[in-house]
Amino acid sequence: MIRWGLIGASTIAREWVIGAIRAAGDVVSVMSSSAERGEAYAAENGIVKAVTSVDDLVGDPNVDAVYISTTNELHHDQALAAIRAGKHVLCEKPLAMNLNDGCEMVLKACEAGVVLGTNHHLRNAATHRAMREAIAAGRIGRPIAARVFHAVYLPPHLQGWRLDRPEAGGGVILDITVHDADTLRFVLNDDPIEAVAISHSAGMGKEGLEDGVMGVLRFRSGVIAQFHDAFTTKFAETGLEVHGTAGSLIGRNVMTQRPVGTVVLHNEEGESELPLDHRNLYETALEAFHSAIGGNGRPSASGEDGVWSLATGLAVVKAAATAGAVEIETGL
């Protein structure tokens, strides 16, 4: 059984990841810089140990792997501390605040022989896996274009640093657009090479942080993908569409943490809904991560995948700031 330590007493860990870990492993420790918060979090979630420093957590011989869900600017140093201690690392996106740090995380994990994964949950959705399989099977011909609708409402309990701390990587692009990038890479089996975008603040983002963005990514194959991401839309529906030379795939209610949504195939034969085996996205991710620790396969989203989504997000940030097209380079 893989024993996990949590770096960060976070909402996402409480709502999604602790349960997914416990489906096949155990959570034995949590780190919070606040002793009071850490102890309360441990008690509320049935975790036997709470510590106040990363060194205390990664130095614990009873911890095999760590899940990092602190604010974005802390990921790099915390991940490197865990890697140096020989712990496997599942890190929230974005991996880091810049590409050099993200690439260093990948390199150091490889040198240490530990598994590094990025918690891009959406590629674990039955909807997106079915779309990827349908495209690979040629059911829509050659993909030409895609559209992502990922404008949502950021609930009050998740507001805060995402809206008012640029130094922590706040803003909708590094929070949501990176998920679009990873999902498109997975579904299309293709890499983005260029981004154009316009962002704005519709009243939630503070300190100049964007709470909405629209843009287009160009992929290596020539596919162009439109995206709309926001924190401000209470009533919007999410979706992902891929249009090809011989058909279209229409996914609805698919850019979500929950195992829901539908995918409809439209082609010359008519309209048909793809069969889906909905499962908990995070349990699927943890199963793959545990298998990778055992030497079987790879994480559902690797460290390299995390660098790609980071590179794309940073390119979108730059494109929105300069009103120009920006090439996407990972440095890997």
Side-chain angles (χ1 to χ4, degrees):
M1 177 181 290
I2 306 300
R3 301 165 298 179
W4 286 78
L6 308 179
I7 298 181
S10 67
T11 299
I12 187 173
R14 182 180 70 248
E15 292 182 347
W16 297 102
V17 177
I18 291 173
I21 289 173
R22 285 175 172 161
D26 193 17
V27 180
V28 298
S29 184
V30 60
M31 188 285 296
S32 173
S33 57
S34 164
E36 182 180 3
R37 173 175 168 81
E39 290 168 4
Y41 191 94
E44 291 165 2
N45 294 283
I47 302 170
V48 296
K49 188 176 182 180
V51 298
T52 56
S53 77
V54 172
D55 288 343
D56 284 343
L57 187 136
V58 302
D60 187 341
N62 291 317
V63 171
D64 305 308
V66 301
Y67 168 60
I68 298 174
S69 59
T70 48
T71 51
N72 301 332
E73 85 283 9
L74 302 176
H75 293 175
H76 168 261
D77 290 352
Q78 292 171 341
L80 291 190
I83 290 166
R84 286 194 297 269
K87 311 301 183 183
H88 306 285
V89 178
L90 177 61
C91 187
E92 270 303 324
K93 53 74 207 167
L95 282 184
M97 295 288 288
N98 61 72
L99 283 177
N100 287 339
D101 285 354
C103 290
E104 183 181 17
M105 292 163 68
V106 172
L107 175 63
K108 294 300 184 183
C110 183
E111 291 176 349
V114 299
V115 176
L116 172 64
T118 310
N119 196 28
H120 276 306
H121 60 284
L122 289 170
R123 61 169 54 206
N124 300 304
T127 49
H128 298 138
R129 294 190 169 203
M131 295 177 83
R132 175 184 168 98
E133 292 168 4
I135 292 168
R139 300 186 71 183
I140 64 168
R142 177 174 58 86
I144 297 171
R147 294 199 298 168
V148 180
F149 318 107
H150 202 171
V152 297
Y153 180 70
L154 188 65
H157 73 281
L158 293 180
Q159 296 176 18
W161 69 268
R162 289 175 174 85
L163 297 173
D164 58 21
R165 290 188 59 198
E167 76 281 2
V172 74
I173 296 172
L174 291 183
D175 198 62
I176 293 184
T177 307
V178 290
H179 278 312
D180 299 352
D182 184 73
T183 305
L184 286 164
R185 283 188 69 242
F186 176 75
V187 168
L188 297 170
N189 193 26
D190 199 359
D191 294 326
I193 59 172
E194 188 178 24
V196 295
I198 296 175
S199 64
H200 73 156
S201 177
M204 289 180 68
K206 303 176 181 64
E207 301 293 334
L209 284 174
E210 80 287 344
D211 54 30
V213 62
M214 288 187 178
V216 178
L217 302 176
R218 185 190 304 277
F219 283 76
R220 204 176 301 281
S221 67
V223 170
I224 54 175
Q226 175 191 41
F227 61 90
H228 174 208
D229 303 322
F231 287 149
T232 56
T233 53
K234 292 184 178 181
F235 307 106
E237 180 183 51
T238 70
L240 172 61
E241 301 175 357
V242 182
H243 306 286
T245 56
S248 293
L249 291 165
I250 309 298
R252 287 292 179 265
N253 197 23
V254 297
M255 307 299 287
T256 173
Q257 293 169 297
R258 295 176 292 115
V260 297
T262 60
V263 179
V264 176
L265 169 66
H266 297 265
N267 58 21
E268 62 181 7
E269 299 174 0
E271 178 180 308
S272 59
E273 190 167 318
L274 298 187
L276 302 173
D277 179 20
H278 285 298
R279 295 189 61 230
N280 183 295
L281 282 63
Y282 295 92
E283 289 184 9
T284 300
L286 266 296
E287 287 173 7
F289 197 91
H290 287 162
S291 292
I293 290 175
N296 299 311
R298 61 191 293 278
S300 57
S302 66
E304 290 88 345
D305 292 322
V307 170
W308 266 107
S309 64
L310 172 61
T312 306
L314 292 174
V316 171
V317 170
K318 184 176 180 181
T322 60
V326 176
E327 292 184 2
I328 297 169
E329 299 178 359
T330 64
L332 289 174

